[in-house]
Amino acid sequence: MTKDITRRGALGTLAGGAAALPLWARYTHAQTAEPIKIGFQVHRTGIGAAYGRWYDRTTNAAVKLINEGGGINGRMVEMVAEDDGTNPKRGAEVVEKFANQHGCDVAYGTLFSHVVIGSAPRAGELKLPYFVVSEGHHVASGMLNRYTLQPGITDVKSQVLAMAPFVAENLGKKVTMIFADFAFGHNHRDFFTEAIEAQGGEVLAHIAIPPNETSFTRYFPKIPRETEVLYHVMVGPSVLTFVKELGEFFGPSAPALFGFIDSLEAVDIASPGLEFLEGTYFWEGMCRDAQPDETEDEAFYRAAVGVDAHGAAVEDPNDVSTYGHMFGCWITMFAIKAGMEAAGYRGPQDRAALIEAVEALGDMPHSRAYPQGPMRFNGRTHQVFGQQYISRVEDGRLVRVHTTTIDESLYPDKVDYTQQPL
């Protein structure tokens, strides 16, 4: 299958080619066929629960839109959700249930990197296409297998490569890093250290914090006095406590702060005790606050997932979304759709063709299907690349101040999954 043929199929999908048919005709065809079953490995419980809830909401919104447009290859999409407890062992068991008990066509949705690493080998053994929405470098590093793909969200290595020049030029070159002590945090430790050194900077200290930690004050005295930039990336239900205690520890004498939005996902920046964040910077995968130049495609996506201009649920301004990550679910669903339609997917016998079709996606133009911005899928490494955003906290809102290019985030391939047998 050539890249051009695949792209034509994908673009036909994204343009809503099925819309040429009357709605009744599309549904008549679709409802006479078995649904396409997508096994949704969701973090309903455990440290990933806040993400899991919004991943669920975003996924349901994408499926609704896909089904209203006639489904995939004339078949409705049915999500089969299983809670993995944000636990690697349970994650592998869930993948097996999708294949052997539920009869799913593909598995999808995993976020936390240790769960991906624990689940992907079983997906490979079962030859079950496994689409993750995780950010970890584990896919592109080559440690997984050809059946594991990440087409909806960029990875940590690409993110920090694009961020490091901004940090070095605008905030400082002597950095202390505080990060979650598991694979995702270790990616930040390794790749940002490397990236800031390439900019003439240095990391003075690495401070790893267990992801289940509930109080953080005892870690802060480890921050060297000469620190110019404090780089933080924390996850889990205690992130609000983390940022509040950080502000209490430093008071008005804090170094420049550069955080990944993970440290504040599902948290309102205007919360009491977070005033010290004014003027600090965050990486965002997609801008939580609607920007003045928000595109029509971004606005369509925001409305479809039910999020207001400040990044909260439209029905409850106190329910703040995980906006910096959950777009990956939407994009991944449409990448699956594009791949299945390019491959003429009919059932499990076509899983290999689906993998090959997704590998050939290439450029993914900014659109309603890909609202985060233009993206580029590397079929050899199974990793997507895209723009990165840096925002500054101004009056309790995240205001975008810098956008990187895709090219700034690229790095040499470490693996060519296309050489592995299917």
Side-chain angles (χ1 to χ4, degrees):
M1 180 174 301
T2 69
K3 185 174 180 179
D4 288 341
I5 291 172
T6 301
R7 186 172 296 138
R8 283 202 300 273
L11 292 177
T13 294
L14 304 184
L21 292 171
L23 190 62
W24 65 266
R26 282 180 271 151
Y27 277 107
T28 299
H29 181 194
Q31 291 176 352
T32 60
E34 288 293 317
I36 288 175
K37 289 187 177 181
I38 297 179
F40 182 20
Q41 188 179 9
V42 57
H43 306 329
R44 292 204 193 282
T45 55
I47 60 172
Y51 288 91
R53 188 165 60 83
W54 280 96
Y55 270 37
D56 192 17
R57 180 166 173 152
T58 305
T59 298
N60 287 335
V63 171
K64 180 176 183 288
L65 186 64
I66 289 170
N67 283 340
E68 286 176 348
I72 298 176
N73 292 332
R75 296 163 62 189
M76 295 291 97
V77 176
E78 177 185 330
M79 301 304 295
V80 180
E82 288 276 358
D83 177 21
D84 63 15
T86 326
N87 179 282
K89 181 176 181 295
R90 193 161 157 191
E93 293 168 354
V94 165
V95 167
E96 186 152 0
K97 285 182 72 175
F98 289 150
N100 295 333
Q101 182 174 324
H102 297 303
C104 293
D105 293 277
V106 301
Y108 149 89
T110 325
L111 167 63
F112 273 60
S113 55
H114 60 312
V115 183
V116 172
I117 292 168
S119 304
R122 190 66 186 119
E125 292 166 357
L126 293 163
K127 297 189 180 300
L128 181 69
Y130 184 45
F131 292 86
V132 300
V133 192
S134 172
E135 285 189 293
H137 183 59
H138 32 271
V139 178
S141 71
M143 73 179 295
L144 301 179
N145 56 67
R146 193 171 181 182
Y147 277 84
T148 305
L149 308 99
Q150 188 155 256
I153 193 167
T154 60
D155 71 333
V156 170
K157 184 171 183 176
S158 67
Q159 293 163 5
V160 301
L161 276 174
M163 297 293 104
F166 180 93
V167 174
E169 292 168 15
N170 297 280
L171 304 180
K173 294 186 177 181
K174 294 182 178 180
V175 183
T176 291
M177 298 184 67
I178 299 180
F179 53 89
D181 193 11
F182 69 109
F184 168 73
H186 301 163
N187 280 178
H188 279 271
R189 175 197 65 197
D190 298 342
F191 298 129
F192 183 78
T193 299
E194 186 179 284
I196 199 69
E197 288 175 352
Q199 299 298 317
E202 63 176 321
V203 174
L204 304 177
H206 294 113
I207 302 173
I209 299 181
N212 288 313
E213 185 64 87
T214 56
S215 182
F216 306 88
T217 304
R218 66 190 178 93
Y219 296 95
F220 299 145
K222 299 179 182 179
I223 300 169
R225 290 182 179 274
E226 60 269 35
T227 298
E228 296 172 346
V229 183
L230 185 62
Y231 176 112
H232 60 95
V233 54
M234 294 299 298
V235 295
S238 298
V239 289
L240 178 58
T241 303
F242 168 75
V243 288
K244 279 187 173 181
E245 290 184 356
L246 188 65
E248 291 167 359
F249 178 81
F250 279 111
S253 59
L257 294 178
F258 181 85
F260 267 59
I261 200 63
D262 310 60
S263 296
L264 278 180
E265 284 287 49
V267 172
D268 187 352
I269 291 178
S271 299
L274 301 189
E275 294 82 4
F276 78 98
L277 289 174
E278 186 72 13
T280 71
Y281 295 84
F282 284 91
W283 165 88
E284 292 192 274
M286 192 169 183
C287 295
R288 178 192 294 185
D289 283 291
Q291 304 299 306
D293 60 350
E294 183 173 67
T295 68
E296 188 236 338
D297 296 320
E298 291 175 273
F300 177 87
Y301 162 77
R302 186 181 291 272
V305 297
V307 170
D308 66 19
H310 196 40
V314 291
E315 71 277 8
D316 181 1
N318 295 314
D319 186 4
V320 177
S321 69
T322 58
Y323 208 79
H325 294 82
M326 68 194 204
F327 67 87
C329 294
W330 179 280
I331 292 172
T332 303
M333 286 301 304
F334 280 94
I336 292 171
K337 172 178 167 66
M340 285 186 167
E341 297 195 344
Y345 184 88
R346 296 159 297 167
Q349 71 274 16
D350 295 324
R351 284 173 176 166
L354 169 60
I355 296 289
E356 291 174 331
V358 175
E359 288 173 340
L361 274 178
D363 290 327
M364 301 160 66
H366 182 54
S367 60
R368 286 186 174 184
Y370 308 133
Q372 188 263 0
M375 306 186 94
R376 185 184 307 161
F377 187 68
N378 183 335
R380 297 178 300 279
T381 65
H382 286 195
Q383 176 60 56
V384 79
F385 293 84
Q387 295 176 338
Q388 310 297 332
Y389 306 105
I390 296 177
S391 298
R392 186 174 185 268
V393 180
E394 298 179 8
D395 296 325
R397 302 182 73 84
L398 287 157
V399 177
R400 187 182 66 242
V401 295
H402 183 67
T403 301
T404 73
T405 66
I406 293 176
D407 288 344
E408 288 176 293
S409 69
L410 300 179
Y411 51 79
D413 295 351
K414 287 187 177 180
V415 65
D416 185 353
Y417 285 120
T418 67
Q419 299 304 304
Q420 295 181 7
L422 284 162

